[in-house]
Amino acid sequence: MAAVRDKAVVVTGAGGGIGAALARRFAAEGARVVVNDLDEAKAQRTAEETGGIAVPGDASAVVPAAREALGGAVDIFCANAGVGTGGGPEAPEDAWELAWDVNVMAHVRAARELLPEWLARGEGRFVSTVSAAGLLSMVGAAPYSVTKHGAYAFAEWLSLTYRHRGIDVHAICPQGVRTDMLAATGAAGDLVLAPTAISPEEVADALFPAMDKGRFLVLPHPEAADYYIGRATDPDRWLASMNHLQRKLEESEGDVQ
């Protein structure tokens, strides 16, 4: 894409999975890429693969160091780092806090740093890796579902507030993706996500047509649009179908026990 060539790009959570795939794809399109991850070794590995610059550390605080590494400006920020916290209300308080901090507040903090620069020059692009759980929900994972709803809402708010001022925003909402996070979801992931799981590269590939067309919502699994429509137009039917999945999950876990 001509619009990406020579652009300064930051990808958080890029030590593996979707983040690494995004970093590789941006680099292949000619962008200059900062690779961020909490795991320094993983960040360095992806940077070496892509010819990028490793800036390890907390995604919430990466913008100043990334901006310096890229020569003073960031054009595209991919808020990709996330945690897949499971459980319900009984999940520990610190698990809820971590999910909120990484899945939502890291995006807020990045935008807080980036917006003054972007608004001053009238352009910038914020890419939020949300999840179909942010449009729908995920059985067995209340902290993840709730905070991904928050991530989607924040991306939506950014778009509706700043699109007339040159800020492009994209929310990537895949269902199952073959990553370590999917492997860690256990029975719930096996039931709901694994059957239609795609590769991280397919997620990254879905972003680029959306950027080209200025489309906010990126659905690597196109069928998620029908689920989203069903949720909005007949919520009781949708909830009943999700409850059916919940009962199947409980039955499968009973078998394991």
Side-chain angles (χ1 to χ4, degrees):
M1 288 180 63
V4 172
R5 184 168 301 279
D6 296 324
K7 294 295 186 182
V9 179
V10 181
V11 185
T12 67
I18 294 171
L22 286 169
R24 287 191 291 266
R25 180 62 193 270
F26 275 108
E29 297 288 346
R32 296 177 291 116
V33 181
V34 155
V35 176
N36 167 257
D37 199 277
L38 272 178
D39 188 315
E40 184 174 356
K42 289 182 178 180
Q44 189 61 48
R45 182 183 64 201
T46 302
E48 290 171 358
E49 290 176 4
T50 60
I53 307 165
V55 180
D58 188 341
S60 284
V62 72
V63 172
R67 184 186 285 126
E68 182 177 354
L70 289 165
V74 174
D75 299 307
I76 301 170
F77 189 89
C78 298
N80 173 78
V83 293
T85 310
E90 80 288 347
E93 195 77 9
D94 59 355
W96 279 93
E97 289 175 2
L98 178 64
W100 180 254
D101 193 66
V102 177
N103 294 345
V104 181
M105 290 309 299
H107 298 203
V108 175
R109 294 176 187 124
R112 186 184 294 149
E113 284 279 350
L114 292 162
L115 280 168
E117 169 194 345
W118 287 354
L119 292 171
R121 57 184 162 110
E123 63 176 346
R125 192 180 300 272
F126 194 94
V127 179
S128 176
T129 301
V130 179
S131 167
L135 295 176
L136 306 167
S137 196
M138 178 60 190
V139 296
Y144 183 73
S145 297
V146 170
T147 56
K148 286 298 186 176
H149 273 71
Y152 182 79
F154 183 64
E156 195 173 55
W157 186 91
L158 286 176
S159 182
L160 68 89
T161 302
Y162 296 114
R163 59 172 47 208
H164 68 294
R165 299 181 66 181
I167 309 303
D168 294 304
V169 184
H170 309 278
I172 310 175
C173 296
Q175 293 174 200
V177 184
R178 293 190 290 273
T179 64
D180 291 343
M181 187 179 289
L182 175 59
T185 58
D190 290 342
L191 175 66
V192 180
L193 303 175
T196 59
I198 60 176
S199 70
E201 288 72 24
E202 289 174 282
V203 178
D205 289 345
L207 171 63
F208 282 74
M211 289 196 299
D212 188 47
K213 296 176 181 177
R215 191 170 67 244
F216 170 74
L217 186 56
V218 183
L219 296 176
H221 293 80
E223 63 269 26
D226 293 329
Y227 303 150
Y228 190 40
I229 291 169
R231 175 179 177 267
T233 57
D234 194 345
D236 287 306
R237 182 178 180 182
W238 179 79
L239 286 167
S241 69
M242 291 297 288
N243 180 251
H244 178 69
L245 286 175
Q246 173 65 29
R247 284 178 285 150
K248 288 182 69 173
L249 174 61
E250 291 173 9
E251 290 168 6
S252 69
E253 290 176 334
D255 290 341
V256 171
Q257 293 171 359

